[in-house]
């Protein structure tokens, strides 16, 4: 049994206003080429198919085409789940019919416990869910967080295990100990949103979605994120994007990350205004990429963004390099401010902003407010 | 060949803020009961499945259930098209897979020319389309309106006719000569939005959607609207809602309208405040219905709507009866006003609204403005 593991397509995602649909269509075709080359039996999509619960018409049209390409034209088995960015109800439409052609799209918690069997492998397709879904499903009010919920979910799945088969979990959550980038939407706050790895060790392979970095888990070879198909934020610029090819045998699991090159990359460059506008400099870089630019200049330059966009049409961020000496200066200033009393701090702030002094009346009012506040504490 | 003809479900429709989902679910089950009783071979839905291009989650969940009920549980063949209220792209998702189980959902013009054959009948499922779709499809810039487009469309369909079979057109437009109510969205203005009946006469039966009144066409027995499943506006209160059962034989077409009673009706009542608040009056009417109330009183009554809603929870409109004598008085007043010059008219209006007189300055300004306006003409 050999399958392709992918996740976090986020169809319809925009990068600082730029539509990525062209890049998404392109990388999908590259992924399909790998599927053919590797002669996989199935394509596994671990959630966040769309970027939004109500995707745009263009995003829907693109995924409609992809569905037909994967399952109708190329006749791959498809095993997919909804992620936290998808609307499970909207994605669910038609899933009964999809199933009849080997396109398994799970959007409800209860579907996770009926394994999809392909050859010698049981696939448990667990869509993204909230703790209250698990409370309802198990009828147990003690389930307050994802960790507790997952322990119960996995327990119930193991009851369905056929010991002669391999067991694969397809899921979408934050696995404890993995490293985030800043383009995933945090699912829940308070440290209870993550699932400890040891809960997942009963599976031969866990195909995860949610984190966009394929290298987010280093401790467990058989619990892996595929990562997103594209870089969805400047913070992901150093990440290699792609898919995983997973091969399951009776006694062994093997997974290989295969990188995919995007139609247009996301990159960060640091340079001076002079360099940026010099052909010998900009002809060496991919000006069509989505670029974050950090300027080394310190002087004011008018119409900067307009000028640079004529050379670099897809600038997604533009800032100034903060030099080390400047950083020290800011830090010292902050340190000094912390020591001031609230009334002095407020006085300085008022003067800095308004360029006027506080009146006697205002000063009295501030003192009273501070005293009142202390009493309440 | 016997089928059920329905249209204009408008799932998710609200009536003056009241959700009709409960009524829609109820009437759907009543429709399904008729399908069983009549032992039909197929269910034909002639467009406007949803009320909006982006239906609510609740509307999507309801239609998902209906789809499964019709085609998976009850195993009916379903022949459906998108209407002007539906988003064709959103509705299209999964239609390739639906087809494999006998659920034909056409959302694109080009799909209309491949007939769905059931027993001895060719069904041409023509989704709602705009003239520009036809221009693109036929590559003919002379197609400017729906009438011209439909002549071409029907011409192309007849090329596909198997002369040994019956031919049914399923479509969604305004047929010339039919009568509108005010709850259909006008598709296009200027009188070019309608299709002449004679274009449609080549078909043995034309199952139409768009108009909500099942009796909109009286001139042609075999060109019919099914009407909506429910009353979707107070203007439809006198219309009987339901479905049509169509039986096609070698030499004959028979269609019967079967009414469906709603969970809650839409009705209009005219009464005095005293009557409306008297138990012997209101116990005789269905107070749970969606009611339009016309009050016969002429005096001011405070908190009227709040008071009446305690007795009639679903009031969708509340107005005063305009008596004949009052109507005459208003008409005379209007007639007299028309004769006044613009400055006098404005002066009277200002005084009526503000209860103050225009100042000299304002009067001068008005005169100047009127003179200026005359010059420009």
């Amino acid at each position: 049994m050999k399958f392709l593991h992918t996740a976090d397509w986020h169809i319809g995602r925009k990068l600082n206003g730029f539509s990525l649909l062209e890049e998404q269509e392109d990388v999908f075709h590259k992924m399909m080429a790998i599927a053919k080359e590797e002669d996989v039996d199935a394509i596994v999509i671990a959630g966040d198919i769309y970027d939004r619960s109500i995707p745009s018409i263009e995003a829907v049209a693109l995924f409609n085409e992809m569905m037909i390409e994967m399952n109708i034209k190329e006749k791959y088995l498809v095993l997919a789940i909804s992620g936290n960015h998808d609307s499970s109800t909207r994605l669910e439409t038609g899933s009964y019919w999809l199933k009849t052609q080997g396109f398994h799209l799970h959007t409800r918690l209860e579907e996770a416990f009926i394994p999809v069997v392909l050859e010698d492998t049981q696939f448990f397709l667990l869509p993204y869910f909230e703790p209250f879904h698990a409370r309802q499903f198990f009828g147990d009010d003690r389930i307050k967080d994802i960790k507790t919920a997952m322990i119960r979910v996995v327990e119930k799945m193991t009851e369905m295990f056929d010991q002669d088969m391999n067991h694969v979990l397809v899921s979408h959550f934050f696995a404890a100990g993995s490293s985030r980038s800043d383009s995933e939407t945090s699912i829940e706050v308070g440290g209870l949103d993550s699932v400890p790895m040891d809960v997942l060790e009963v599976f031969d392979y866990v195909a995860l979605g949610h984190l966009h970095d394929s290298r987010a888990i280093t401790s467990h070879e058989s619990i892996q994120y595929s990562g997103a198909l594209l870089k969805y934020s400047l913070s992901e610029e150093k990440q290699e994007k792609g898919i995983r090819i997973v091969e399951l045998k009776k006694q062994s699991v093997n997974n290989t990350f295969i990188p995919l090159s995007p139609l247009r990359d996301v990159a960060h460059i640091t340079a001076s205004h002079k360099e940026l506008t010099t052909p010998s400099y900009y002809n060496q870089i991919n000006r069509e990429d989505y670029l974050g630019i950090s300027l080394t200049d310190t002087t004011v330059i008018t119409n900067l963004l307009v000028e640079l966009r004529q050379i670099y049409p897809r600038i997604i961020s533009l800032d100034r390099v903060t030099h080390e000496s400047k950083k020290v200066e800011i830090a010292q200033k902050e340190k000094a401010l912390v020591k001031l009393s609230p009334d002095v701090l407020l006085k300085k702030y008022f003067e800095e902003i308004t360029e006027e002094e506080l009146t006697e009346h205002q000063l009295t009012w501030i003192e009273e407010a501070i005293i009142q506040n202390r009493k309440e504490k």
Side-chain angles (χ1 to χ4, degrees), chain A:
Chain A
M1 156 58 61
K2 198 175 177 185
F3 63 88
L4 185 152
H5 167 201
T6 175
D8 295 274
W9 289 9
H10 291 273
I11 302 171
R13 179 95 163 204
K14 289 187 176 186
L15 201 53
N16 290 56
F18 294 101
S19 164
L20 295 175
L21 283 170
E22 219 186 317
E23 286 79 5
Q24 290 175 323
E25 191 176 353
D26 170 80
V27 79
F28 169 77
H29 290 301
K30 287 170 180 161
M31 183 200 87
M32 289 299 287
I34 305 274
K36 275 185 224 178
E37 234 174 83
E38 294 284 336
D39 193 25
V40 299
D41 304 303
I43 295 170
V44 169
I45 314 168
D48 281 1
I49 290 171
Y50 287 119
D51 191 53
R52 297 168 51 177
S53 61
I54 302 180
S56 69
I57 286 283
E58 293 74 22
V60 172
L62 180 57
F63 185 53
N64 285 353
E65 278 172 35
M66 289 171 170
M67 288 170 79
I68 289 165
E69 181 82 16
M70 288 188 287
N71 186 241
I72 302 289
K73 290 193 188 152
E74 300 299 339
K75 306 214 178 296
Y76 286 109
L77 295 169
V78 181
L79 308 175
I81 56 169
S82 46
N84 58 308
H85 276 246
D86 301 304
S87 157
S88 53
T89 303
R90 293 185 196 277
L91 210 56
E92 187 186 352
T93 304
S95 65
Y96 272 79
W97 290 263
L98 293 173
K99 201 163 54 186
T100 64
Q101 312 300 309
F103 193 136
H104 298 266
L105 173 54
H106 285 193
T107 57
R108 296 168 185 248
L109 176 56
E110 59 265 36
E111 294 176 292
F113 307 103
I114 304 149
V116 177
V117 178
L118 299 181
E119 296 176 27
D120 55 353
T121 305
Q122 287 184 313
F123 284 87
F124 293 85
L125 310 184
L126 174 65
Y128 169 75
F129 66 98
E130 307 264 356
F132 82 86
H133 290 121
R135 272 201 296 284
Q136 279 190 331
F137 180 77
F138 291 104
D140 185 346
D141 281 346
R142 291 169 306 174
I143 301 172
K144 303 266 188 232
D145 53 59
I146 282 292
K147 180 185 163 178
T148 328
M150 272 304 289
I151 291 168
R152 293 291 293 275
V153 164
V154 172
E155 205 177 79
K156 197 169 161 68
M157 283 175 178
T158 55
E159 289 169 18
M160 306 300 294
F161 274 19
D162 180 335
Q163 293 308 332
D164 294 332
M165 290 200 178
N166 285 313
H167 312 104
V168 173
L169 174 67
V170 181
S171 196
H172 189 96
F173 53 68
F174 178 52
S178 41
S179 52
R180 286 184 196 272
S181 54
D182 74 355
S183 69
E184 302 101 6
T185 308
S186 180
I187 293 178
E188 222 176 68
V189 289
L192 296 169
D193 59 338
S194 67
V195 177
M197 303 278 189
D198 56 2
V199 175
L200 309 170
E201 285 168 358
V202 294
F203 295 98
D204 297 290
Y205 185 75
V206 181
L208 288 172
H210 186 49
L211 297 188
H212 292 184
D213 183 0
S214 64
R215 289 171 190 168
I217 297 176
T218 49
S219 59
H220 290 68
E221 188 49 33
S222 64
I223 304 172
Q224 290 294 334
Y225 289 96
S226 63
L229 282 179
L230 294 168
K231 295 173 187 174
Y232 286 133
S233 116
L234 198 55
S235 71
E236 294 176 34
E237 58 124 1
K238 295 247 185 295
Q239 295 174 12
E240 201 173 29
K241 299 297 181 180
I243 53 89
R244 289 181 183 274
I245 297 292
V246 184
E247 198 162 7
L248 287 167
K249 290 183 181 160
K250 201 86 197 156
Q251 300 294 336
S252 73
V253 185
N254 199 0
N255 91 76
T256 318
F257 179 80
I258 299 183
L260 294 170
S261 66
L263 182 63
R264 296 183 194 91
D265 205 355
V266 173
H268 184 249
I269 52 177
T270 303
S272 69
H273 178 252
K274 199 173 168 207
E275 285 171 318
L276 287 165
T277 51
T278 306
S280 63
Y281 176 87
Y282 64 63
N283 285 333
Q284 286 179 346
I285 58 170
N286 291 320
R287 293 193 283 128
E288 297 295 319
D289 284 351
Y290 296 98
L291 294 175
I293 297 178
S294 293
L295 215 64
T296 55
D297 308 71
T298 49
T299 53
V300 173
I301 304 161
T302 51
N303 269 330
L304 183 61
L305 190 59
V306 174
E307 184 194 4
L308 290 180
R309 280 222 164 123
Q310 288 175 0
I311 304 170
Y312 312 91
R314 295 182 187 80
I315 297 175
I316 57 171
S317 87
L318 181 60
D319 58 17
R320 301 273 181 158
V321 170
T322 314
H323 292 285
E324 280 313 308
S325 61
K326 182 83 181 169
K327 278 184 193 162
V328 172
E329 191 188 311
I330 292 170
Q332 279 171 344
K333 212 171 165 186
E334 277 173 0
K335 225 169 167 180
L337 285 173
V338 168
K339 288 178 187 161
L340 298 174
S341 66
D343 53 340
V344 177
L345 201 59
L346 193 54
K347 196 165 169 286
K348 274 178 84 78
Y349 179 73
F350 186 87
E351 285 167 9
E352 203 174 305
I353 298 297
T354 65
E355 295 181 352
E356 279 176 27
E357 284 193 13
L358 285 161
T359 63
E360 276 305 311
H361 180 73
Q362 286 168 326
L363 279 169
T364 316
W365 182 85
I366 287 165
E367 273 167 38
E368 281 171 6
I370 290 167
I371 291 162
Q372 184 62 32
N373 181 265
R374 282 202 187 116
K375 273 188 197 156
E376 281 167 10
K377 278 189 181 161

